[in-house]
Amino acid sequence: MFGTVKRIIDWCGSFKKNLYIGFIFSFFSGWFAAMPVIWAAYIIGKLVECEGQGKAVSTVWIGKSIVILLFFIFLRFLFDYLRARFQESISYELIARDRLAVGDALKRVSLGYFQNMNTGTILNSITTGLHTLEGMGIRMIDNFVGGYLNFICILLWLTCMNWRVGLIAVTGAAVSLIFLLIISKYSTRNAPVLAAANRDLTGATLEYARGLSVVKSFGKAGASMDSMKKACRDSRDINLKIEWGYIPYNALHLLALKTASVCIVIAAFYLGFSGQLDFTYMMIIILLSFHVFGSLEPIADCAHVLAVIDDALDHLDELTKESFIDADGQQIEIAHYDIEFRNVDFSYGEGRERRQVLHNVNLKIPEYSVAAIVGPSGSGKSTICNLIARFYDADSGSVRVGGHDVKEFTCDSLLSNISMVFQNVYLFHDTVRNNICFGKTDATEAEMVEAAKKARCHDFIMALPEGYDTVIGEGGGSLSGGEKQRISIARAILKDAPIIILDEATASVDPENEHLIQAAISELTKGKTIVTIAHRLATIEQADQILVVDNGQIIQRGTHTELVAVPGKYKDFVDIRSQSEGWKIG
Ligand SMILES: Nc1ncnc2c1ncn2[C@@H]1O[C@H](COP(=O)(O)OP(=O)(O)OP(=O)(O)O)[C@@H](O)[C@H]1O
């Protein structure tokens, strides 16, 4: 428990100063929380004493006493306010910092990381985990540290008035601390189980939502619904089990404190009526007995939650300290834009799942030339493109861009030279404008519109309800496939990177769209180094170099004229393509 408190304080980093200043105000707030009670008891004591001696009480004295009482109350709230001013914003600042750090970290890990780590785990750590830290991290620390500071203030008052009463209060707090430590231990054991259940639930919900269209089209929920139901049930059962286990210790913690309060009251009466304690002090002690443990009671919730926070911090560390693929990378400006593979082997997966998909690949793509990669499905075309952008690292050999091994670059500096247009376009749930400007956020309006015009999407964008300010649904769901494709090309045109990697996606679009997309691609690829996973014969024929991939190896290379002249995979491929592209209705 104390370890987690220290860990949260360390997590505050540069905000520690604010946290400590907050603790000082918390201490004064505790001090002035006790003062009105003490003062009220003092007034009552005085009134009773005067009454007993038959003396009249001056109304000026009563007036002054009430003003002082109100002043103490005011000071208490003032220090509370100051504490909040210094501490409340810390967690929001920290979480904003950490969310950006996680975003940056995820950008810099190999894509293999996402395969090895379940998406639910990542999502849960970023959403639920960080949300827990944001909502509870600092609050729990304040409850814990502030609670004990408050207690110590009142304890000092009590001890000053009568050390025996102080001893009872310390004993009550010590016994309650034993139960708090048990709660904390119990919670430490359960927090990872709870977090795992939450991650499974997030993963199952995600899987269900992703597969909803399949679920609907087949009219049944199937395995995804079953695993979601199971995850919901598991989460409920684990939460209930934890709650039931926690209740008895919480009750014992409260019992220890309440018993100590009652003992203080009995001791105060005893000491007062046996003449060992002044009447006013007796009154003060009795009133403070209701107050002294007030700030310790909610600490059971802290002890319960601290382990959850600890677990969230573990996952945050895991995400942000994940080895970056470009940890040793440099910011490199390249002068040439050629691409080269030297003896590249590559495998997906790890351990038993490991499968080699590229075998000793060698290729050279001179700058400003067009290389078309062709080959059967699953032969390794996309993998070659992914290695150029360093989405993964080769097992052996070297992938070079502009004469440098891609491992020499930081991800950002490498990718600033590359634009990728994928078959499966992903657009963000944001305005059309922001989606186009994604690769060049400082683009002017004129540059953005020009890119959209070149990508043949300006006209349909202007027909949208809010034009460039229309918000596109998540993943670009509110647009047609062809429209999404053209917006992604506009994005690449605006980025104006010297190397373009293109996954030609004309197979599934209608002729009108195909024509527009081809026109957009021509604008995008002017004067660039182009690597295209090509399907259309027209594109392939015009390439300066065709690389035929089969089973993870380059089995043929050359121009179209050279390759059709010899029997082989390419010639077979061209024959089949010519037949299918020549196919007409009627
Ligand atoms: N993320 C991945 N994890 C594991 N294996 C993968 C992964 N991506 C691709 N593969 C496997 O690697 C091999 C090469 O895949 P790749 O996507 O590079 O082929 P491709 O030629 O681009 O196929 P297609 O034309 O169908 O897109 C395939 O056997 C595929 O199943």
Side-chain angles (χ1 to χ4, degrees):
M1 185 162 70
F2 296 104
T4 309
V5 170
K6 181 173 177 311
R7 195 174 175 194
I8 296 176
I9 293 175
D10 289 342
W11 172 63
C12 289
S14 58
F15 291 94
K16 263 190 208 168
K17 200 171 115 203
N18 285 23
L19 190 71
Y20 292 142
I21 295 174
F23 287 151
I24 294 171
F25 287 128
S26 210
F27 180 77
F28 284 118
S29 158
W31 203 256
F32 287 101
M35 280 305 288
V37 178
I38 294 166
W39 192 248
Y42 172 73
I43 297 170
I44 296 169
K46 272 281 171 217
L47 290 175
V48 172
E49 197 181 309
C50 291
E51 183 73 18
Q53 294 169 356
K55 286 188 200 161
V57 184
S58 127
T59 46
V60 177
W61 183 84
I62 293 179
K64 274 186 191 164
S65 301
I66 291 173
V67 170
I68 293 171
L69 186 72
L70 292 174
F71 182 62
F72 286 147
I73 294 173
F74 165 76
L75 283 182
R76 190 250 159 108
F77 285 104
L78 176 69
F79 284 119
D80 246 358
Y81 167 78
L82 289 172
R83 180 207 57 76
R85 282 294 297 205
F86 275 84
Q87 287 187 340
E88 288 291 317
S89 60
I90 295 178
S91 56
Y92 297 106
E93 299 278 2
L94 289 174
I95 294 299
R97 175 198 73 184
D98 289 343
R99 285 203 170 110
L100 291 175
V102 170
D104 190 48
L106 292 181
K107 214 172 62 175
R108 296 173 60 195
V109 295
S110 152
L111 280 189
Y113 173 75
F114 296 94
Q115 273 173 281
N116 302 331
M117 188 101 151
N118 160 321
T119 325
T121 306
I122 298 171
L123 195 67
N124 200 64
S125 301
I126 299 173
T127 54
T128 317
L130 288 184
H131 189 64
T132 305
L133 280 175
E134 185 174 52
M136 298 187 183
I138 301 299
R139 191 158 305 153
M140 288 299 127
I141 281 291
D142 183 52
N143 281 4
F144 189 88
V145 179
Y148 274 105
L149 284 176
N150 237 289
F151 167 71
I152 290 167
C153 291
I154 303 176
L155 178 70
L156 287 176
W157 283 108
L158 287 174
T159 311
C160 289
M161 283 180 279
N162 189 286
W163 67 268
R164 294 181 198 86
V165 172
L167 196 63
I168 298 174
V170 169
T171 311
V175 175
S176 94
L177 183 61
I178 294 173
F179 296 118
L180 288 180
L181 290 172
I182 296 175
I183 293 174
S184 162
K185 215 170 153 194
Y186 176 78
S187 178
T188 305
R189 215 174 46 231
N190 286 309
V193 182
L194 182 65
N198 284 338
R199 285 195 291 276
D200 288 349
L201 182 59
T202 310
T205 311
L206 207 63
E207 171 77 3
Y208 184 68
R210 274 191 194 139
L212 212 53
S213 54
V214 181
V215 168
K216 276 175 182 284
S217 63
F218 282 84
K220 52 178 160 187
S224 61
M225 186 60 185
D226 290 345
S227 63
M228 196 167 104
K229 276 185 189 161
K230 181 177 174 307
C232 288
R233 273 196 302 268
D234 287 351
S235 169
R236 177 200 62 193
D237 293 347
I238 288 163
N239 273 299
L240 281 176
K241 187 171 159 242
I242 291 173
E243 276 307 313
W244 291 132
Y246 153 75
I247 287 170
Y249 297 110
N250 187 29
L252 287 169
H253 152 77
L254 291 177
L255 185 70
L257 298 178
K258 296 289 180 206
T259 308
S261 284
V262 172
C263 289
I264 291 173
V265 174
I266 294 170
F269 274 125
Y270 171 76
L271 293 169
F273 287 114
S274 63
Q276 298 175 59
L277 198 63
D278 185 84
F279 177 76
T280 307
Y281 283 169
M282 184 184 84
M283 284 301 298
I284 293 174
I285 291 172
I286 290 170
L287 287 182
L288 283 182
S289 74
F290 297 109
H291 207 72
V292 61
F293 300 118
S295 59
L296 296 191
E297 286 175 12
I299 287 181
D301 292 330
C302 303
H304 185 46
V305 171
L306 281 177
V308 178
I309 293 174
D310 209 25
D311 190 72
L313 283 170
D314 282 347
H315 283 285
L316 180 64
D317 280 351
E318 244 173 62
L319 281 176
T320 50
K321 298 201 173 107
E322 179 60 31
S323 50
F324 296 145
I325 199 168
D326 64 348
D328 302 321
Q330 311 263 329
Q331 188 71 29
I332 298 175
E333 299 271 333
I334 49 174
H336 298 284
Y337 306 109
D338 54 309
I339 298 165
E340 188 180 354
F341 276 45
R342 293 185 188 163
N343 308 319
V344 171
D345 286 341
F346 174 75
S347 317
Y348 283 112
E350 283 184 350
R352 286 157 57 101
E353 314 254 299
R354 193 177 177 84
R355 196 160 66 89
Q356 187 167 349
V357 295
L358 292 187
H359 307 268
N360 196 30
V361 172
N362 284 284
L363 60 86
K364 271 188 183 173
I365 302 171
E367 62 180 341
Y368 309 121
S369 71
V370 179
I373 306 182
V374 296
S377 177
S379 56
K381 304 182 293 293
S382 308
T383 306
I384 290 176
C385 295
N386 287 341
L387 293 190
I388 298 172
R390 209 186 171 197
F391 287 169
Y392 301 90
D393 267 340
D395 301 346
S396 61
S398 164
V399 177
R400 306 178 74 80
V401 171
H404 295 266
D405 192 307
V406 289
K407 289 181 182 165
E408 293 170 26
F409 295 80
T410 59
C411 290
D412 280 347
S413 78
L414 174 66
L415 290 173
S416 66
N417 296 297
I418 300 173
S419 277
M420 299 185 85
V421 177
F422 300 99
Q423 275 207 43
N424 296 324
V425 175
Y426 191 88
L427 298 180
F428 297 100
H429 179 55
D430 203 339
T431 56
V432 174
R433 176 190 309 281
N434 288 344
N435 268 287
I436 294 178
C437 294
F438 185 73
K440 190 182 179 193
T441 42
D442 57 351
T444 62
E445 179 78 11
E447 285 172 330
M448 185 211 36
V449 172
E450 193 192 336
K453 281 185 177 162
K454 283 184 179 166
R456 307 293 190 267
C457 50
H458 177 73
D459 292 345
F460 90 77
I461 292 171
M462 292 312 287
L464 293 173
E466 309 276 336
Y468 282 90
D469 293 316
T470 307
V471 174
I472 302 173
E474 195 176 298
S478 53
L479 300 175
S480 77
E483 289 168 342
K484 282 195 280 187
Q485 189 86 46
R486 279 180 277 147
I487 287 189
S488 83
I489 295 173
R491 183 152 78 185
I493 289 176
L494 191 59
K495 184 177 171 189
D496 196 23
I499 298 172
I500 308 287
I501 298 175
L502 201 64
D503 195 350
E504 203 176 51
T506 50
S508 60
V509 290
D510 57 84
E512 161 72 5
N513 250 319
E514 178 175 339
H515 168 72
L516 291 171
I517 289 172
Q518 281 313 316
I521 287 177
S522 305
E523 292 284 356
L524 169 67
T525 53
K526 271 183 202 157
K528 315 274 183 189
T529 305
I530 296 146
V531 184
T532 172
I533 299 176
H535 303 289
R536 295 169 65 254
L537 270 184
T539 314
I540 301 167
E541 281 168 12
Q542 284 162 18
D544 300 306
Q545 167 179 211
I546 298 161
L547 300 163
V548 185
V549 186
D550 194 22
N551 265 329
Q553 286 173 311
I554 298 190
I555 53 163
Q556 283 184 287
R557 67 187 80 209
T559 60
H560 174 75
T561 327
E562 287 162 2
L563 293 179
V564 283
V566 289
K569 278 260 175 197
Y570 183 74
K571 188 167 180 342
D572 298 345
F573 167 80
V574 170
D575 289 344
I576 295 170
R577 270 274 137 201
S578 315
Q579 278 170 25
S580 65
E581 286 186 21
W583 186 83
K584 301 233 168 21
I585 298 174

